[in-house]
Structures are given as C-alpha cells and as structure tokens.
Amino acid sequence: SAFEGYIELLRQTAGIPGLSGVLIQDGSIVWERGLGFADVEARIPARPDTPYVIGDLTEPFTAVLVLQCDERKQVDINREITNYGGAVPNDRALVKDVLSHTSTPPGNFKYEPARYAQLTGVVEYCSRQTFRKSIALDVLDFLAMTRSVPGRDFATAGAVPADMLEKTYFDHYRQVLESLAVPYKVDKKLHPTRTELAPEGVNAATGLVSTVRDLAQFDFALDDGTLLRDTTLARAWSAAVGPGGAP
C-alpha cells in the first residue's frame, strides 16, 4: 500500500492522466494496478490489461528475435549488418554494434532508434517473412500476449496487407485497439489535452502496443529460458564494448 501510494503521488505530481504497473517477484505477479484514467473524458479507468503504445520498448523484442537467429546460426551478429539487409551510414557496422547502440563512429554509445530500426531487415532475412509477422507469431502468439498488437495501423482498414495474417488476427487486433489508452499532452499546469496520433506500423525500434500484464509474460520468458539460452542471455545482459573499445 505504501508503494502504491508513492506511485499515485508521483502520477499526480507529474500530471500523468493514467498509468498501469505490475511488480514481479520469484516468477509471479505480486502487485498489479491501474491508476488514473485510460480515457479522461470518458472516465475510463486505467487497468492492468489496458493497452498502451510502448514505443521504444519494442526494441527488446527485436533483440530477442535477432539473438534467436544468432543461436540458429542464420545470422552472425559479429558480421556487418549490410550482409542481412540492414543499412546504416557506417556500412562497416556489425549487427551487435547496432544492437548495443554503438554503431555511430567512433563506436561510443549513442542512442539512435533510427539506426536500430535497420534490424528490421536482419529479422526478415533470418525468418523469410515480414518483421511484423515474426513479432506476431513468434513472440506475441508464442507467449500468449493476447492484449498486444504489432502496430496501431491494424485499426485502419487496408493499412496492413490482408494476406499477412489470417482474418481472425485482424479482428482480434482491432478489438484490442478499441481500448487503447488515449494519448495526452500535459501542459505546465498539468492539464491534459487529448492528442491524435497518426496510424503507425511496427519496426525493429518502435510500434508495439502492449499491456503491463503482457510485458510481464515477456519478462517471465526471458528469466526462465523460454526465449533464449542461458549463455545467450548472459551475453545480452553483459556490458557491451563498442568498436572504439569503450565499455
């Protein structure tokens, strides 16, 4: 209750219209809550199963797919990304450099989602299918992340090729997106103003819609070895050394 009170105070102080959260301990959700509103005007409360646009949190999902390809020896992350359909200004950048945001000369860390988005081509080279389909089938379906959607453009008729997935997927995704948390801008007086976002697809850097419950499923799967081998995960959690030698 003390933690929840702190989070609610933080939400109000920052003027956040609504948020959702879970706490995980020993492989189980021990606390979950929605605070505030997913839709202020309609007074729809935020819930643990409220879907949100998660933006750059799409990147860990991409990293898992790329590392799975590396495990299957369909991609070598120690080779240049240009071998696998990716293109960055530094054409000598290795896949692992792009994964760790160290592909910008001289090889120090610089967070650039636009470069990370080039891993879209790496996943497609490995899977021989669209990146969106890989996320939908190999991650969201596989982990039963039933309230997650690979792109908000599923809500727009004709935006996604009809032959990409079975019709049942389109119907389900549209249903989930109907309860998507409304985006707001908050002014200096903490007054929220509804903001319209253009329909957005998904790539290696951004675009996923998910819930905290579904993200917990992803977290569980990382911890229990469902997604990656222990040795691969140990490498992923280790501090990277960029091509310039800086940790």
Side-chain angles (χ1 to χ4, degrees), residues 53-100:
V53 176
I54 65 170
D56 294 2
L57 284 179
T58 302
E59 292 182 12
F61 291 83
T62 299
V64 164
L65 290 174
V66 172
L67 291 173
Q68 287 177 343
C69 292
D70 185 68
E71 287 182 344
R72 296 194 298 265
K73 301 189 183 306
Q74 294 170 303
V75 163
D76 183 351
I77 63 172
N78 295 297
R79 294 190 67 194
E80 290 87 353
I81 193 172
T82 50
N83 289 297
Y84 306 112
V88 294
N90 172 18
D91 61 7
R92 301 293 296 173
L94 308 181
V95 174
K96 69 176 183 179
D97 298 337
V98 180
L99 272 173
S100 58

Side-chain angles (χ1 to χ4, degrees), residues 43-243:
R43 310 302 285 175
I44 298 173
R47 298 159 43 98
D49 63 352
T50 296
Y52 294 85
V53 176
I54 65 170
D56 294 2
L57 284 179
T58 302
E59 292 182 12
F61 291 83
T62 299
V64 164
L65 290 174
V66 172
L67 291 173
Q68 287 177 343
C69 292
D70 185 68
E71 287 182 344
R72 296 194 298 265
K73 301 189 183 306
Q74 294 170 303
V75 163
D76 183 351
I77 63 172
N78 295 297
R79 294 190 67 194
E80 290 87 353
I81 193 172
T82 50
N83 289 297
Y84 306 112
V88 294
N90 172 18
D91 61 7
R92 301 293 296 173
L94 308 181
V95 174
K96 69 176 183 179
D97 298 337
V98 180
L99 272 173
S100 58
H101 291 284
T102 57
S103 66
T104 306
N108 298 323
F109 176 83
K110 185 178 182 182
Y111 184 69
E112 290 195 10
R115 284 177 179 263
Y116 201 94
Q118 291 301 310
L119 292 167
T120 305
V122 177
V123 174
E124 292 179 342
Y125 174 94
C126 168
S127 65
R128 305 302 183 193
Q129 61 186 5
T130 64
F131 177 82
R132 193 196 301 255
K133 193 169 184 178
S134 290
I135 285 285
L137 301 183
D138 300 337
V139 181
L140 305 185
D141 267 16
F142 181 63
L143 299 180
M145 296 175 63
T146 57
R147 297 277 290 171
S148 299
V149 180
R152 288 183 294 108
D153 52 351
F154 273 98
T156 304
V160 181
D163 59 352
M164 180 177 293
L165 295 163
E166 295 178 6
K167 183 179 180 298
T168 52
Y169 282 87
F170 285 78
D171 295 340
H172 174 69
Y173 289 155
R174 290 190 190 110
Q175 184 180 29
V176 172
L177 290 170
E178 287 176 358
S179 56
L180 182 68
V182 174
Y184 293 95
K185 287 183 179 180
V186 179
D187 61 25
K188 293 181 180 179
K189 295 182 179 180
L190 306 185
H191 177 73
T193 302
R194 187 176 183 130
T195 303
E196 296 300 327
L197 299 177
E200 178 187 42
V202 65
N203 61 42
T206 190
L208 271 181
V209 169
S210 193
T211 71
V212 291
R213 279 183 183 164
D214 277 5
L215 291 175
Q217 289 294 106
F218 181 68
D219 187 85
F220 294 149
L222 280 176
D223 284 346
D224 65 16
T226 298
L227 291 172
L228 296 169
R229 300 170 188 163
D230 289 345
T231 52
T232 303
L233 196 59
R235 279 191 297 150
W237 290 151
S238 299
V241 176

